[in-house]
């Protein structure tokens, strides 16, 4: 399946400001179940320098430096992507040990960072531990059965609702509020999986629809590492196991590290700024 994506971000400021170093994370991943055939990045005002780098998870990021003050900033990307069918994990044979808690050791020791708790001290959220225990009831201690039952529990407990402003909530807050954005639900699934030793990471990207919405938005879901299957995506706010309608931008153990743009500006006190954005998927 081939798709063209045009993603625009336009920042405007009341008066000229000095832009700090910016990190742009808007280039889709090329590999696995998607192939990037074309990518173009447009920035206005044109930066003093652009330094491409590869993140710890192997994603492309652009470090951008500006020289002159400006009262606006336009960032526009155009991507052409080809996606492939995702095999159904529940229908494939896997002779690896899929019992829980999963044991990450030996050749998989590099995954240790993806099983740490979401709290600053590395501990797991008690609310995530509780729902993990519920998801273990009645199954044969298998990671795929656990994921299937856990996502069903999340869908039953939390209603998806868009939320454009603010960082992702903790698992505890999402369960207390009983509503959450896609990034809140992705954190909830990620943190709950980590409680039972399943390496998990946060993913930012796009999901296109057969019947396009009035306005597309960035989407978020979770990738978990399953021995024998590698990293596979699961969307607790959507269809569960993701399919060819999902396009990954980047992934990380922390949600803030895959924000499309990270940076700041220096200007007058209380200076107002505004962000306008648009995503087209053709």
């Amino acid at each position: 399946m081939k798709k063209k994506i045009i993603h625009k971000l336009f920042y405007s400021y009341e008066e000229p400001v000095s832009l700090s170093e910016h990190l742009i994370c808007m280039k889709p991943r090329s590999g696995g179940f998607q192939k990037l055939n074309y990518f173009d990045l447009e920035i206005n005002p044109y930066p003093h320098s652009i330094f491409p780098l590869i993140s710890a998870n192997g994603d492309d990021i652009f470090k951008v430096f500006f020289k002159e003050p400006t009262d606006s900033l336009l960032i526009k990307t155009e991507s052409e992507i080809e996606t492939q069918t995702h095999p159904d994990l529940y229908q494939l044979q896997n002779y690896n040990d899929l019992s829980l808690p999963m044991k990450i050791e030996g050749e998989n020791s590099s995954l240790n960072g993806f099983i740490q708790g979401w709290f600053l001290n590395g501990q797991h959220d008690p609310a995530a531990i509780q729902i993990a225990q519920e998801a273990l009831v009645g199954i044969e201690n298998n990671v795929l059965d656990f994921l299937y039952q856990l996502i069903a529990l999340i869908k039953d407990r939390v209603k998806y609702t868009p939320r454009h402003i603010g960082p992702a909530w903790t698992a505890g807050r999402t369960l207390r509020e009983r509503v959450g954005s896609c990034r809140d639900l992705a954190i909830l699934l990620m943190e709950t999986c980590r409680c039972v030793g399943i390496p998990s990471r946060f993913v930012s990207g796009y999901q296109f629809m057969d019947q396009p919405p009035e306005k597309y938005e960035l989407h978020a879901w979770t990738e978990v590492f399953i021995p024998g299957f590698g990293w596979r995506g699961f969307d607790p706010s959507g269809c569960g196991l993701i399919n060819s309608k999902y396009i990954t931008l980047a992934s990380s153990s922390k949600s803030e590290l895959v924000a499309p743009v990270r940076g700041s500006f220096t200007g007058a006190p209380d200076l107002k700024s505004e962000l306008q954005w648009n995503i087209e998927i053709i």
Side-chain angles (χ1 to χ4, degrees), residues 100-102 114-118 122-133 136 146 150 171 187-200:
L100 299 173
M102 195 172 290
F114 297 103
I115 58 175
Q116 293 179 351
W118 180 247
Q123 292 183 344
H124 293 293
D125 190 323
I129 295 173
Q130 181 176 344
I131 196 172
Q133 291 172 336
L136 288 168
F146 172 79
L150 172 60
I187 291 295
L188 173 56
L189 177 59
M190 184 182 82
E191 170 69 349
T192 307
C193 286
R194 290 182 175 189
C195 292
V196 293
I198 304 175
S200 308

Side-chain angles (χ1 to χ4, degrees), residues 76-245:
K76 174 185 175 183
T77 60
E78 185 174 316
S79 309
E80 293 180 4
I81 291 283
E82 186 173 353
T83 64
Q84 300 176 352
T85 301
H86 295 226
D88 187 347
L89 302 185
Y90 297 94
Q91 303 299 322
L92 297 177
Q93 289 186 331
N94 191 333
Y95 298 104
N96 290 266
D97 181 9
L98 300 183
S99 60
L100 299 173
M102 195 172 290
K103 303 172 182 63
I104 303 301
E105 54 189 17
E107 60 180 313
N108 288 329
S109 59
S110 61
L111 296 170
N112 286 330
F114 297 103
I115 58 175
Q116 293 179 351
W118 180 247
F119 285 175
L120 293 178
N121 58 6
Q123 292 183 344
H124 293 293
D125 190 323
I129 295 173
Q130 181 176 344
I131 196 172
Q133 291 172 336
E134 293 182 53
L136 288 168
V137 175
I139 65 172
E140 296 182 358
N141 210 33
N142 177 284
V143 61
L144 293 178
D145 293 339
F146 172 79
L147 288 166
Y148 182 86
Q149 187 148 295
L150 172 60
I151 290 173
L153 280 173
I154 291 175
K155 286 179 174 291
D156 180 64
R157 305 278 176 86
V158 182
K159 180 181 178 181
Y160 166 73
T161 183
R163 183 171 62 85
H164 303 299
I165 300 175
W169 290 349
T170 63
R173 179 172 181 181
T174 300
L175 289 169
R176 286 195 305 271
E177 300 284 349
R178 299 187 68 86
V179 296
S181 67
C182 58
R183 61 188 181 279
D184 303 324
L185 291 167
I187 291 295
L188 173 56
L189 177 59
M190 184 182 82
E191 170 69 349
T192 307
C193 286
R194 290 182 175 189
C195 292
V196 293
I198 304 175
S200 308
R201 61 189 185 185
F202 184 94
V203 184
S204 173
Y206 309 101
Q207 180 190 14
F208 54 88
M209 311 291 185
D210 293 330
Q211 296 183 340
E214 292 185 6
K215 186 173 184 179
Y216 271 110
E217 303 177 4
L218 267 180
H219 194 47
W221 60 95
T222 307
E223 283 182 339
V224 305
F225 185 86
I226 304 173
F229 292 144
W231 288 106
R232 292 301 301 268
F234 291 82
D235 182 6
S237 62
C239 62
L241 181 64
I242 71 168
N243 53 36
S244 59
K245 296 181 180 180

